[in-house]
């Protein structure tokens, strides 16, 4: 009897859902360079909903970016608007995706379509929203399990935990993507999800053939190259997060890489401006600064008992200005930042990590008491070495007058040398041991 009632209730619920999803459509009555305005269906739309246009015998998909009482502004995912006045626009509903473990080894685009020419994707059982909310703070597991990355400088000075979110901050061409590719090969993750946002087409190929090649069969790559529309670039990280969340909820330890979050912010800016928002900080509309933490917060530990998403995000600091509003907002959201320095890269010291400026807010969970003490001493020595660099170059220091500085002058170049690592090289196994060996040598 209860079963029958339950079945009846389910059938009614399904009926209601179908009714709600019944095709709602309206005509396009205004077209600009990047948007189309549709009238008559505002009441049925929500911000972020997908809308399909039928034009020239094919369907073009767009997203609702602004709604008022009479009209809805829709921005298509393709760079060019193919529709004309009077074309019908129909509601598709909220953006969703059905990720499946079978996607590992595949490359997809920002709409979740296969982009590697290897046939259709098998869909998973669970539908996931692209704009999911981050898990509630109090339900999240603690972040305290150390995870070696194989990149020596990071494992020593900014060690990572499973579920941590860290940013790589640098100007253009200082080595962000190379470092991310090295990190993508880290052992200890069940799956790797990478979003390449606004990259050059050539770099996508290089990335796939780089250090990630070894982890390719557990990696899902979401690509939206620089020539695609801002809508696609804005969506690629969301797709990556939806995939990462699906794997996390299956109990996996997921490594999520977004290269770069800045290009996501640029795309979000273009979309928000097209939707009519005013620009407030260096051309960025306010919604960009609320979208960023919302996106980044989705990475991190899941609820107690599920898996984790460890997030590594690259951030381009425009003109090497580390205080630009986007970089600032991202830095405040993350649990650590790695700063790459152009001057270090120019000396040919790669990864060009500024070891003094980079911090991991969770290093306390990873280091033992001795290790913490050692890192403190090493940093002290490096600081001494760097602040006296000019003085020594000008011949203003005589060896023997300060034993501590003398020690720094001998050891710091050895530390720097030990931190050097190139993409093709063997990953580090025990960074502290390897450093000790170089210092002795
Ligand atoms: N670990 C490394 N070992 C040797 N060379 C490196 C290393 N990291 C970076 N490089 C050099 O620096 C160049 C630029 O690196 P990369 O493309 O990673 O920079 P980027 O910060 O991602 O640049 P963009 O801002 O244009 O995306 C590489 O082509 C390579 O020559
Ligand atoms: Mg790059």
């Amino acid at each position: 009897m209860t079963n029958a009632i339950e079945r009846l209730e389910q059938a009614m619920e399904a009926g209601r859902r179908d009714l709600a999803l019944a095709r709602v459509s309206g005509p396009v009555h205004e077209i600009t360079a990047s948007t189309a305005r549709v009238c008559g269906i505002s009441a049925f739309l929500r911000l972020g909903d997908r809308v399909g246009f039928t034009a020239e015998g094919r369907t073009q998909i767009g997203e609702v970016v602004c709604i008022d009482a009479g009209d809805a502004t829709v921005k298509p995912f393709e760079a060019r608007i193919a529709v004309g006045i009077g074309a019908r626009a129909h509601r598709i509903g909220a953006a969703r995706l059905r990720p499946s473990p079978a996607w590992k080894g595949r490359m997809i685009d920002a709409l979740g379509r296969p982009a590697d020419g290897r046939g259709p994707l098998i869909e998973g059982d669970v539908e996931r929203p692209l704009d999911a909310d981050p898990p509630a703070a109090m339900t999240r597991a603690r972040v305290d399990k150390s995870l070696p990355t194989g990149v020596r400088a990071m494992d020593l000075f900014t060690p990572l935990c499973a579920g941590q979110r860290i940013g790589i901050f640098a100007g253009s061409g200082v080595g962000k993507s190379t470092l991310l590719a090295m990190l993508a090969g880290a052992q200890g993750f069940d799956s790797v999800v990478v979003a390449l946002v606004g990259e050059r087409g050539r770099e996508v190929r290089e990335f796939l053939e780089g250090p990630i090649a070894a982890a390719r069969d557990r990696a899902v790559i979401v690509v939206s190259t620089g020539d695609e529309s801002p809508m696609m670039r804005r969506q690629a990280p969301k797709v990556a997060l939806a995939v990462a969340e699906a794997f996390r909820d299956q109990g996996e330890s997921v490594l999520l890489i977004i290269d770069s979050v800045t290009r996501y912010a640029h795309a979000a800016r273009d979309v928000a401006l097209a939707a009519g928002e005013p620009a407030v900080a260096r051309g960025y509309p306010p919604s960009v600064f609320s979208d960023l933490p919302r996106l980044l917060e989705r990475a991190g530990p899941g609820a107690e008992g599920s898996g984790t998403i460890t997030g590594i995000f690259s951030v381009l600091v425009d003109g090497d200005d580390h205080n630009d509003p986007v970089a600032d907002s991202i830095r405040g959201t993350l649990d650590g930042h790695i700063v790459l320095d152009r001057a270090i890269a120019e000396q040919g010291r790669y990864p060009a990590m500024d070891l003094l400026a980079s911090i991991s807010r969770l290093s306390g969970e990873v280091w033992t008491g001795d290790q913490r003490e050692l890192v403190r001493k090493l940093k002290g020595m490096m600081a001494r070495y760097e602040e006296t660099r000019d003085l020594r170059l000008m011949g203003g220091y005589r060896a023997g007058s300060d034993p501590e500085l003398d020690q720094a002058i001998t050891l710091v170049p050895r530390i720097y040398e030990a931190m050097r690592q190139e993409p093709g090289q063997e990953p580090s196994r025990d960074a502290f041991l390897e450093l000790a060996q170089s210092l002795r040598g």
Side-chain angles (χ1 to χ4, degrees):
M1 181 61 189
T2 13
N3 270 350
I5 293 176
E6 261 174 31
R7 274 205 303 278
L8 189 66
E9 279 176 348
Q10 277 167 7
M12 280 170 64
E13 178 57 32
R16 249 182 259 132
R17 218 168 33 227
D18 290 348
L19 195 64
L21 287 178
R23 245 188 187 204
V24 180
S25 76
V28 172
H29 75 102
E30 189 186 320
I31 299 168
T32 70
S34 63
T35 58
R37 286 175 72 75
V38 181
C39 56
I41 57 173
S42 295
F44 303 98
L45 296 175
R46 297 288 173 274
L47 269 187
D49 271 358
R50 295 280 172 81
V51 167
F53 300 103
T54 321
E56 298 169 358
R58 64 189 186 101
T59 304
Q60 201 174 35
I61 296 188
E63 188 182 305
V64 178
V65 294
C66 180
I67 309 175
D68 59 40
D71 287 340
T73 307
V74 179
K75 209 164 153 48
F77 284 95
E78 284 170 52
R80 196 179 69 88
I81 301 190
V83 296
I85 298 291
R88 295 303 289 183
H90 57 266
R91 190 189 70 162
I92 298 176
R96 292 173 188 284
L97 198 67
R98 289 176 173 272
S100 144
W103 291 13
K104 290 183 190 174
R106 300 293 305 265
M107 185 163 99
I108 60 179
D109 74 1
L111 290 173
R113 301 174 301 197
D116 49 7
R118 287 172 42 202
L121 289 168
I122 299 167
E123 296 215 303
D125 305 328
V126 187
E127 200 174 54
R128 307 205 65 104
L130 291 192
D131 259 321
D133 289 322
M138 290 314 289
T139 64
R140 294 189 118 168
R142 263 182 69 94
V143 178
D144 52 10
K145 187 172 149 275
S146 144
L147 250 175
T149 62
V151 175
R152 213 170 295 122
M154 265 185 76
D155 288 345
L156 269 166
F157 291 96
T158 52
L160 204 62
C161 286
Q164 187 172 359
R165 291 153 313 169
I166 200 157
I168 298 179
F169 291 74
S172 61
V174 185
K176 297 181 296 297
S177 303
T178 312
L179 181 55
L180 284 176
M182 287 164 77
L183 293 168
Q187 302 294 317
F189 292 101
D190 302 313
S191 46
V192 184
V193 181
V194 184
L196 299 177
V197 186
E199 292 287 276
R200 307 163 192 94
R202 162 188 66 79
E203 286 181 316
V204 173
R205 181 87 195 266
E206 278 173 15
F207 186 87
L208 294 181
E209 290 167 1
I212 197 167
R216 199 65 183 85
D217 54 349
R218 54 191 158 98
V220 178
I221 318 247
V222 186
V223 177
S224 171
T225 47
D227 55 318
E228 289 183 56
S229 71
M231 288 298 285
M232 294 292 266
R233 279 180 277 135
R234 185 179 72 132
Q235 182 134 298
K238 297 183 183 179
V239 168
L241 267 153
V243 175
E245 283 164 346
F247 294 165
R248 175 200 66 197
D249 290 348
Q250 283 160 7
E252 294 191 354
S253 168
V254 186
L255 172 64
L256 171 76
I257 290 179
I258 300 182
D259 188 13
S260 73
V261 180
T262 312
R263 298 216 183 96
Y264 162 80
H266 289 170
R269 172 185 62 192
D270 293 355
V271 174
L273 290 175
E277 262 190 69
V280 288
R282 295 217 197 157
Y284 288 97
S287 68
V288 173
F289 299 101
S290 54
D291 282 353
L292 276 172
R294 240 184 87 78
L295 182 83
L296 303 177
E297 270 292 329
R298 286 169 68 183
E304 206 73 60
S306 71
T308 55
I309 303 176
T310 308
I312 308 185
F313 310 105
S314 76
V315 184
L316 174 77
V317 272
D318 279 333
D320 290 290
D321 169 11
H322 285 258
N323 292 320
D324 87 278
V326 168
D328 236 11
S329 147
I330 298 172
R331 195 179 302 113
T333 312
L334 300 177
D335 316 308
H337 53 267
I338 291 172
V339 180
L340 304 184
D341 190 296
R342 193 176 297 280
I344 299 177
E346 280 165 359
Q347 294 166 21
R349 251 170 61 205
Y350 285 110
M353 235 175 106
D354 181 340
L355 301 172
L356 293 172
S358 305
I359 58 158
S360 161
R361 292 188 218 258
L362 294 167
S363 51
E365 306 279 349
V366 179
W367 287 328
T368 62
D370 288 346
Q371 287 175 339
R372 190 200 321 270
E373 189 52 26
L374 176 69
V375 172
R376 197 185 58 77
K377 278 202 184 126
L378 293 178
K379 281 193 160 178
M381 238 191 273
M382 288 188 282
R384 238 15 252 293
Y385 182 83
E386 292 301 339
E387 74 202 13
T388 57
R389 188 183 274 273
D390 292 345
L391 179 76
R392 285 180 291 111
L393 282 177
M394 288 186 303
Y397 176 72
R398 213 159 32 84
S401 30
D402 178 349
E404 264 181 42
L405 182 54
D406 288 336
Q407 193 189 28
I409 294 170
T410 342
L411 293 184
V412 171
R414 285 196 208 160
I415 302 174
Y416 287 168
E417 194 52 40
M419 292 308 112
R420 273 189 131 106
Q421 212 171 341
E422 286 184 16
Q425 282 173 356
E426 187 73 358
S428 131
R429 293 190 196 290
D430 184 335
F432 279 94
L433 189 71
E434 288 160 23
L435 175 69
Q437 281 165 351
S438 325
L439 290 184
R440 255 184 253 125

